[in-house]
Amino acid sequence: MVTIHHSRMSDLEPDNGLLVMCANETQDLLTTEMKKMLPKKVQTTEEWLRNYSLESLQLTLKHLVNKGTIILDSRSGAEEIELAEEAVTNFEARVSEVVELYQQRIQWLLKDSRKVFGLVKGTKVGLVVDVSGLSDRPRLEGFQKDLLFLIDEQLCYKKQLFCLSFGTETSTLWESPKNVGVHVLGEARQWVQQLAPAGGCNLLKAFKHVLAVKELNSLVIIIRSCPDQSLEILADYAQQCMLGRRLLVHAVTYDCGSPAAIATVKKLAEVVSGRYHCYSSKGENSDSSDVNLLLQESHKAKDLLKSIKQTFQRRVDVSLISGIADVSTEVANAAIPCFLSKPRKHEGPLIIQTPHCLARTSTEWLKTNGLKAKKLNLYQVLAPNAFSPVEEFVPILQKTVSSTLHEKAMMQFEWHDGTVKNIHVDLPILYKYQKLLAKMVRIYEKRINWLAVASRRIWGSVCERRVVILVDISVPNSTCIIHIQHSLRLLLEEQMSDKDCFNIIAFGSHIMPWQMELVPSQPENLQKAWRWVLRLQCNGSRNFMSALRRAVEVDFKEKDKHKSQGIYLLTTGIPDQETHTISAYVAEACRGFNLQLHVCLFSVMEDADSCGIIPARYATPTETAIAFKEIVQAANGRFHWFGEAGIFESDDITVLVSEMEKAKNYSQKCAFLVESLKQRSGNQPANPFIAEAGATMVVRKEKRRPQKLPSPKPTALSLARQHIKDKHCAEKNASRRGPAWRPTSAKAEIPPVQTIKQWPQAENRRKYKPRKQPECSVSVFYTDKGRNVGAVYRSYPKTVCIRKHVPSVRLPKKEEICSSKEWLTKYSIKKLKLELPRLMFGPSCTHQKKIVESLHKKVSAKYCTIFPSVEINGVVRHLQVQSKELEIYIEQMEKVLLRYLQRIQWLLSGSRRLFGTILEANVCVLIDTSGSMDPYLPHITKELTSLIWEQLRKNEVRFNLLRFAENTESWKEHLVEATDKTCHDAVQWVSKFHAHGNTCILMALQRSK
């Protein structure tokens, strides 16, 4: 309930200069304000409204309500707001006067040259005039008259002026901008009077010419017909050329009835953050960005007056006015709707916190805390007690015998490579292992909870040292701007204080960077960034590509010199550009560099957009998520999707959940092993064990086999052989170069062969050692003289290890001045010993098939199918490499590829891009200055200057210059040393080149000898 009553002036808030005592004072006050505004009419409407909008003049419904006092109704107990009648009356009067003020400015903008060409801003103006479609003489004269009026009324007050006309070709009045004066204005008027039709409308060529003039800060483009190029080409070229440059663009269509031309002008102004003005002598299709802004503000003021009149019904005696509508509802309708209430101290300074731990992605974190890193992989635990089944032919039995399982302690278990292993089930070890798995799962749950709170719920974990934040402030985000600002506040407070540098780029239809480049993450910079975030307002569509290109090409222009760089995008919907276009760009921008793009997608409730705003591109939340996943995958980044209900999807959390599922799977397999062992040890009926879903373990029931026959007891001959072997090994260990063993006597007696009742004692047995390839072998035999024993020694060559390790690569950081062919002789993949076939395949790993005569066919080796095989250069080989070696190889190859990219960038920089690398110590440069070189001669002259100083002077090369056309002219008679004096002289000589005549290459080559 709103109540308005008479109040004393002492009850009102202090006078701020805008309160009046009567209606006449309102008129006087606004008249005074309008007189103050007169000198400011040269401002654009956007600049003018910063001081005279309803918000700036405190003329919104919110400000009116703030002037009242809240009281409690004694009957109903509801809160009511009391407003003074004078305050409401004066408020309405001031709003009405402001509406009149807006009308006056609109009328002023539609007078004189401003009606035809709009308001021209800037001090150094470039005038670009389209002279196509001027075949009609009366129309040409009218156009010239209006241009003269523009020069006399607006351009004469500028500091510098540059004039260019274009049709099929371009024509300039001066080579560079001229200071405005009587003489310059006279030349400009004469140039206007001499304008003549010139074919088509080649606006792109005009852009190429005028945007190369760096002195200009304002550009007026006047179009009379539809440009020859498409809108996309023009907009993209203008956007690229103006990236990082402050140039005011004012696009005008003059008496043009083409809808395509008008659409081009409006889109062009939107892309480059400029203004547009459409003029028609017949009054059709007239439009202006300056006038539209005033009309929008005027409509707001009229709607405000209507809302006030509809809200309050006044009594005849005007003693009391009772409200018929809830003020809170009116304020909500008048202000920007928002489903998130403003948090406490939202606009206060940041409370900056210092992170207590190093920020890492979950993937990096699992490299030190994962199951494999903690050696808790199930196969790692079971490996010491795992044995492969053996199946061998026993000659004494004349049949093939398979190994058997111990009935109470071993089970068959499917291994990770698909083979079957015999596992010794050690119950205490498995019990301890399951306890460790449960502990690791609790650790993973704790990290997931940590990732789901504070700023990490919105942004994930910000890990990079150099960060650029892209913020979507398109019009559909008007309903959640408070949430976006609060999200940025949390990020600045909690995760940005330990970074090296950062920047924020807001984007709608156009981009608004906070700073022109990255700044250090100091507390004062974080506070400044927050104050800038509070001023953000939603406008336009989602031009994500422009913001991304600005971050990559400006903020990260030296991305090859830094590590740990990331771009974080906070958005609520799909970008304006196609997904495949963005994916291709980020893949190219991030390839070979330590730069990632991470996406934080905020899903707004479907019914939150009460304004009914339709975005430039529509996609469902699921389609939007799929599109951003594709972009993130191309950029090697992370995807984070959240909303009011919580986190819907996060790559960081998904990796942890996958590790928890793996731990659960391992625990289930342990339980299967224990349960199967219990069934076997308890002599239970043989029932197949059905595993739970998700488990990949296989348990097999073995049939009982008869016990093995006892081994035969050794004879005297066997003991003699064993004794000789033991003695030989002992002598070999004592001295490698000891004398060879010989029989002590040719008549050595050996007792008759008999059975041995007892085995040799354990201490006399040879200790177990790892099996090695023997260097020699001993054969014992009976001689033909009685029962004497002889021995034969056979030596074998030492085995050579064919396994090759991945070498560590060392590449120079400084570029060497040599040809690429010479450079690759030292740093090619072959020279660095990183060829894949050389490392992965040795000479003994060839997959062989031999002919078996009894079978009459080729048969592979017995265990050939166990090893993975690949075909290299037509030969099938077995892969002999471990996963760790592959990881090392990939790491070394990435290092090599990055160095190759740096070398390519160096070769394409500076004068090397045009002339290549100068390798010789004595050089003569031949320059063609014939007439055909006229369009390219300025560029070649500039590059020659760079060549002289960057390569010839720096490398102390003896050189000479020779230009040729119809005749040849040499700079010096012979080669000279590259000193500062000679280089200055050479640059001066090069700057005087002019193109003329024909080309005579043969004469130049003969002269250079």
Side-chain angles (χ1 to χ4, degrees):
M1 182 71 69
V2 179
T3 304
I4 299 182
H5 66 98
H6 294 279
S7 299
R8 297 174 298 172
M9 288 300 296
S10 60
D11 296 334
L12 301 177
E13 59 183 2
D15 185 4
N16 58 0
L18 297 178
L19 294 179
V20 294
M21 299 299 297
C22 61
N24 293 334
E25 289 186 21
T26 302
Q27 178 67 31
D28 296 339
L29 178 61
L30 287 175
T31 302
T32 304
E33 290 178 8
M34 283 186 288
K35 288 181 179 179
K36 294 179 181 178
M37 296 177 202
L38 288 177
K40 299 183 180 180
K41 287 183 178 179
V42 293
Q43 296 177 324
T44 63
T45 300
E46 185 177 359
E47 296 170 343
W48 187 81
L49 286 175
R50 291 174 187 171
N51 298 319
Y52 301 104
S53 65
L54 295 176
E55 185 71 28
S56 301
L57 294 174
Q58 299 182 359
L59 293 178
T60 62
L61 190 58
K62 178 181 178 181
H63 292 98
L64 175 61
V65 172
N66 288 339
K67 293 181 180 181
T69 57
I70 300 177
I71 62 173
L72 189 63
D73 190 352
S74 58
R75 296 181 180 179
S76 61
E79 291 184 351
E80 296 181 348
I81 298 178
E82 285 188 348
L83 289 171
E85 182 184 1
E86 271 188 324
V88 177
T89 305
N90 292 336
F91 187 88
E92 288 180 325
R94 291 186 61 228
V95 173
S96 300
E97 293 297 332
V98 169
V99 172
E100 183 179 352
L101 182 63
Y102 293 157
Q103 295 297 330
Q104 290 178 8
R105 181 166 177 87
I106 291 174
Q107 293 174 5
W108 178 80
L109 287 173
L110 297 179
K111 286 183 179 180
D112 304 326
S113 63
R114 294 181 295 275
K115 178 181 179 180
V116 182
F117 300 105
L119 186 65
V120 178
K121 285 287 294 180
T123 57
K124 301 175 182 180
V125 181
L127 181 63
V128 181
V129 180
D130 174 20
V131 293
S132 62
L134 292 178
S135 56
D136 188 8
R137 186 67 181 177
R139 293 181 62 189
L140 174 60
E141 292 176 354
F143 182 53
Q144 290 172 335
K145 181 180 178 181
D146 290 333
L147 282 176
L148 292 174
F149 198 18
L150 174 66
I151 293 173
D152 294 338
E153 189 178 35
Q154 297 193 58
L155 300 183
C156 62
Y157 298 106
K158 307 301 178 183
K159 291 183 179 180
Q160 289 186 351
L161 187 62
F162 180 82
C163 299
L164 180 144
S165 63
F166 70 97
T168 304
E169 301 293 334
T170 60
S171 175
T172 59
L173 178 58
W174 306 293
E175 291 296 327
S176 60
K178 298 292 184 181
N179 294 329
V180 174
V182 177
H183 180 68
V184 171
L185 291 175
E187 290 182 355
R189 294 188 187 96
Q190 185 177 0
W191 171 76
V192 168
Q193 293 174 355
Q194 294 176 353
L195 290 177
C201 181
N202 194 349
L203 182 57
L204 181 61
K205 191 167 187 178
F207 270 159
K208 291 181 179 179
H209 197 129
V210 74
L211 291 177
V213 183
K214 302 298 183 181
E215 297 87 349
L216 301 177
N217 59 17
S218 178
L219 192 61
V220 180
I221 306 169
I222 303 174
I223 299 176
R224 292 184 54 87
S225 60
C226 184
D228 297 340
Q229 293 80 19
S230 64
L231 172 61
E232 291 76 14
I233 294 175
L234 294 172
D236 186 63
Y237 181 80
Q239 191 175 15
Q240 292 183 37
C241 292
M242 293 178 60
L243 192 64
R245 180 180 176 185
R246 296 183 63 85
L247 182 64
L248 304 174
V249 177
H250 183 57
V252 181
T253 58
Y254 179 90
D255 216 1
C256 178
S258 172
I262 296 174
T264 299
V265 164
K266 291 183 178 181
K267 183 63 177 179
L268 186 63
E270 179 184 353
V271 167
V272 299
S273 303
R275 297 176 297 123
Y276 66 87
H277 186 90
C278 303
Y279 168 75
S280 174
S281 58
K282 299 178 182 179
E284 300 175 356
N285 298 326
S286 296
D287 198 1
S288 173
S289 57
D290 284 338
V291 174
N292 286 341
L293 289 175
L294 287 170
L295 290 175
Q296 291 175 10
E297 201 70 16
S298 179
H299 289 324
K300 288 182 182 179
K302 291 178 181 179
D303 292 341
L304 179 60
L305 287 174
K306 184 178 179 181
S307 177
I308 293 174
K309 291 177 181 179
Q310 290 179 353
T311 303
F312 305 107
Q313 291 180 348
R314 302 184 179 179
R315 295 185 179 179
V316 178
D317 57 359
V318 295
S319 60
L320 181 66
I321 301 177
S322 59
I324 61 172
D326 190 5
V327 173
S328 60
T329 305
E330 290 295 330
V331 172
N333 292 333
I336 295 177
C338 181
F339 62 87
L340 178 71
S341 59
K342 185 180 294 187
R344 294 183 59 188
K345 300 181 180 180
H346 174 70
E347 298 180 357
L350 299 177
I351 304 174
I352 299 175
Q353 306 171 15
T354 302
H356 301 293
C357 59
L358 179 65
R360 290 187 293 173
T361 64
S362 292
T363 303
E364 291 292 329
W365 185 81
L366 286 176
K367 288 182 179 180
T368 55
N369 297 278
L371 297 178
K372 185 177 181 181
K374 295 292 185 180
K375 296 183 179 180
L376 291 178
N377 186 294
L378 177 61
Y379 305 103
Q380 290 175 312
V381 175
L382 296 180
N385 297 325
F387 306 92
S388 299
V390 179
E391 185 177 348
E392 295 288 346
F393 179 80
V394 179
I396 195 171
L397 301 176
Q398 293 296 315
K399 67 177 180 178
T400 302
V401 179
S402 300
S403 59
T404 59
L405 299 178
H406 191 280
E407 294 182 357
K408 296 185 178 181
M410 298 192 77
M411 296 295 300
Q412 283 199 323
F413 184 75
E414 185 177 356
W415 212 242
H416 60 83
D417 58 357
T419 60
V420 177
K421 300 279 188 181
N422 298 329
I423 304 296
H424 170 68
V425 182
D426 193 332
L427 294 180
I429 291 179
L430 292 183
Y431 176 71
K432 183 179 178 181
Y433 174 63
Q434 286 186 311
K435 288 181 64 177
L436 292 174
L437 286 179
K439 181 180 177 181
M440 293 306 301
V441 169
R442 288 194 295 270
I443 293 175
Y444 299 150
E445 289 176 346
K446 185 177 179 180
R447 180 171 175 86
I448 290 175
N449 295 332
W450 179 77
L451 288 171
V453 297
S455 62
R456 294 176 294 275
R457 186 181 74 87
I458 301 169
W459 301 91
S461 182
V462 179
C463 309
E464 292 78 10
R465 305 299 305 171
R466 306 173 81 239
V467 178
V468 172
I469 305 164
L470 306 183
V471 184
D472 177 9
I473 56 168
S474 57
V475 171
N477 290 347
S478 301
T479 58
C480 56
I481 185 63
I482 297 295
H483 196 122
I484 292 174
Q485 291 174 341
H486 187 66
S487 301
L488 285 167
R489 179 187 179 96
L490 291 177
L491 176 65
L492 295 174
E493 285 181 338
E494 299 177 5
Q495 300 197 57
M496 295 304 296
S497 60
D498 63 337
K499 307 305 178 190
D500 293 340
C501 49
F502 78 107
N503 196 6
I504 304 175
I505 301 175
F507 67 93
S509 295
H510 54 87
I511 59 175
M512 292 184 294
W514 169 54
Q515 295 291 339
M516 298 308 296
E517 58 184 9
L518 295 174
V519 297
S521 297
Q522 300 171 352
E524 54 270 21
N525 288 334
L526 295 175
Q527 297 288 359
K528 291 178 182 178
W530 170 240
R531 289 192 290 272
W532 178 80
V533 168
L534 286 174
R535 297 193 297 269
L536 290 178
Q537 295 181 356
C538 297
N539 62 81
S541 57
R542 295 188 181 94
N543 191 0
F544 168 58
M545 191 65 173
S546 296
L548 179 61
R549 293 186 61 178
R550 203 276 181 192
V552 172
E553 298 172 12
V554 177
D555 292 303
F556 292 131
K557 59 184 176 183
E558 297 181 347
K559 57 181 178 290
D560 57 323
K561 299 181 181 178
H562 300 275
K563 294 184 178 180
S564 187
Q565 304 168 114
I567 301 174
Y568 286 80
L569 167 66
L570 178 61
T571 184
T572 59
I574 197 162
D576 294 347
Q577 293 79 17
E578 295 292 337
T579 303
H580 63 85
T581 304
I582 301 175
S583 300
Y585 177 78
V586 296
E588 182 179 356
C590 299
R591 186 183 296 118
F593 304 101
N594 196 340
L595 175 64
Q596 292 88 30
L597 169 65
H598 312 289
V599 174
C600 306
L601 177 61
F602 175 38
S603 283
V604 186
M605 296 167 56
E606 295 182 359
D607 57 345
D609 190 2
S610 58
C611 300
I613 300 169
I614 300 176
R617 285 183 66 201
Y618 175 76
T620 63
T622 304
E623 293 172 344
T624 304
I626 293 173
F628 277 119
K629 284 181 184 178
E630 180 181 342
I631 294 171
V632 163
Q633 186 177 5
N636 196 24
R638 290 171 288 140
F639 177 70
H640 187 82
W641 184 13
F642 70 101
E644 284 288 285
I647 298 175
F648 303 139
E649 184 177 348
S650 173
D651 287 349
D652 278 337
I653 294 178
T654 301
V655 173
L656 294 172
V657 172
S658 176
E659 198 75 3
M660 292 171 64
E661 291 291 337
K662 190 184 297 183
K664 177 184 175 183
N665 189 19
Y666 290 163
S667 181
Q668 288 178 350
K669 289 181 178 181
C670 288
F672 299 155
L673 282 173
V674 174
E675 184 66 24
S676 299
L677 185 65
K678 288 180 180 179
Q679 289 181 6
R680 173 170 290 188
S681 61
N683 294 325
Q684 296 180 3
N687 295 326
F689 184 82
I690 302 175
E692 293 183 15
T696 58
M697 188 271 301
V698 175
V699 178
R700 299 186 180 180
K701 186 82 172 179
E702 285 290 322
K703 295 182 179 180
R704 295 202 173 181
R705 299 178 180 271
Q707 294 184 353
K708 278 187 164 186
L709 295 174
S711 301
K713 295 184 178 181
T715 61
L717 181 60
S718 300
L719 289 176
R721 290 173 179 169
Q722 183 68 32
H723 175 70
I724 294 174
K725 275 189 176 182
D726 292 345
K727 185 176 180 181
H728 169 69
C729 293
E731 290 178 355
K732 180 181 174 184
N733 293 335
S735 174
R736 290 189 176 183
R737 303 182 61 87
W741 178 89
R742 300 190 179 200
T744 55
S745 174
K747 298 182 178 181
E749 292 292 334
I750 297 177
V753 178
Q754 56 185 356
T755 59
I756 305 300
K757 297 182 179 180
Q758 293 182 353
W759 290 92
Q761 298 298 322
E763 57 269 13
N764 295 331
R765 294 180 183 177
R766 183 168 55 91
K767 293 183 179 180
Y768 172 79
K769 292 183 179 180
R771 181 179 294 178
K772 295 182 180 179
Q773 185 72 20
E775 296 184 359
C776 62
S777 65
V778 182
S779 299
V780 183
F781 59 92
Y782 285 108
T783 63
D784 55 352
K785 296 180 180 181
R787 291 174 289 180
N788 296 332
V789 177
V792 177
Y793 289 80
R794 295 180 182 176
S795 61
Y796 296 91
K798 294 183 178 180
T799 58
V800 180
C801 180
I802 61 173
R803 194 172 193 84
K804 299 179 181 179
H805 298 282
V806 180
S808 179
V809 176
R810 293 183 180 180
L811 296 170
K813 295 183 178 180
K814 188 177 180 180
E815 297 295 347
E816 299 180 15
I817 302 176
C818 59
S819 64
S820 295
K821 185 176 181 179
E822 182 180 352
W823 192 80
L824 286 175
T825 57
K826 296 184 287 185
Y827 306 113
S828 65
I829 294 178
K830 183 177 181 179
K831 288 295 180 181
L832 295 174
K833 299 180 180 180
L834 286 177
E835 291 178 300
L836 188 62
R838 177 182 177 275
L839 294 172
M840 304 302 165
F841 315 101
S844 64
C845 62
T846 306
H847 176 89
Q848 296 180 350
K849 289 186 176 182
K850 294 184 178 180
I851 297 178
V852 179
E853 296 181 356
S854 60
L855 301 176
H856 303 289
K857 64 177 182 180
K858 289 185 176 181
V859 180
S860 300
K862 184 174 183 180
Y863 299 103
C864 196
T865 56
I866 298 176
F867 305 102
S869 58
V870 292
E871 184 175 348
I872 298 294
N873 298 328
V875 179
V876 178
R877 291 180 177 270
H878 296 302
L879 189 65
Q880 289 188 339
V881 65
Q882 298 177 357
S883 59
K884 184 63 177 177
E885 292 175 335
L886 283 176
E887 292 175 3
I888 297 174
Y889 179 77
I890 292 172
E891 180 182 350
Q892 297 300 321
M893 285 301 296
E894 287 178 350
K895 188 187 300 185
V896 172
L897 287 175
L898 182 59
R899 185 63 184 87
Y900 287 169
L901 284 174
Q902 292 174 356
R903 176 79 179 179
I904 293 172
Q905 291 173 350
W906 179 76
L907 290 172
L908 296 177
S909 64
S911 60
R912 290 177 292 274
R913 184 175 61 87
L914 190 63
F915 298 100
T917 307
I918 304 299
L919 307 177
E920 295 78 11
N922 301 306
V923 176
C924 180
V925 183
L926 308 182
I927 305 103
D928 183 3
T929 58
S930 60
S932 61
M933 297 293 292
D934 183 50
Y936 317 106
L937 202 55
H939 179 63
I940 292 176
T941 302
K942 180 181 177 181
E943 294 295 335
L944 276 172
T945 303
S946 177
L947 172 68
I948 291 171
W949 288 107
E950 185 180 6
Q951 296 197 59
L952 302 182
R953 177 67 184 95
K954 184 177 180 181
N955 302 329
E956 298 181 353
V957 177
R958 297 177 71 248
F959 74 102
N960 194 7
L961 305 175
L962 188 147
R963 65 183 180 90
F964 63 93
E966 295 177 344
N967 300 312
T968 60
E969 181 181 353
S970 177
W971 170 54
K972 298 291 184 181
E973 294 299 328
H974 51 80
L975 299 177
V976 298
E977 296 291 339
T979 63
D980 290 345
K981 183 178 180 181
T982 56
C983 289
H984 278 295
D985 189 17
V987 170
Q988 291 293 331
W989 188 73
V990 167
S991 63
K992 299 177 183 178
F993 284 175
H994 64 278
H996 67 283
N998 299 324
T999 303
C1000 187
I1001 299 177
L1002 180 60
M1003 186 185 301
L1005 292 174
Q1006 291 174 348
R1007 177 75 181 273
S1008 65
K1009 290 184 179 180

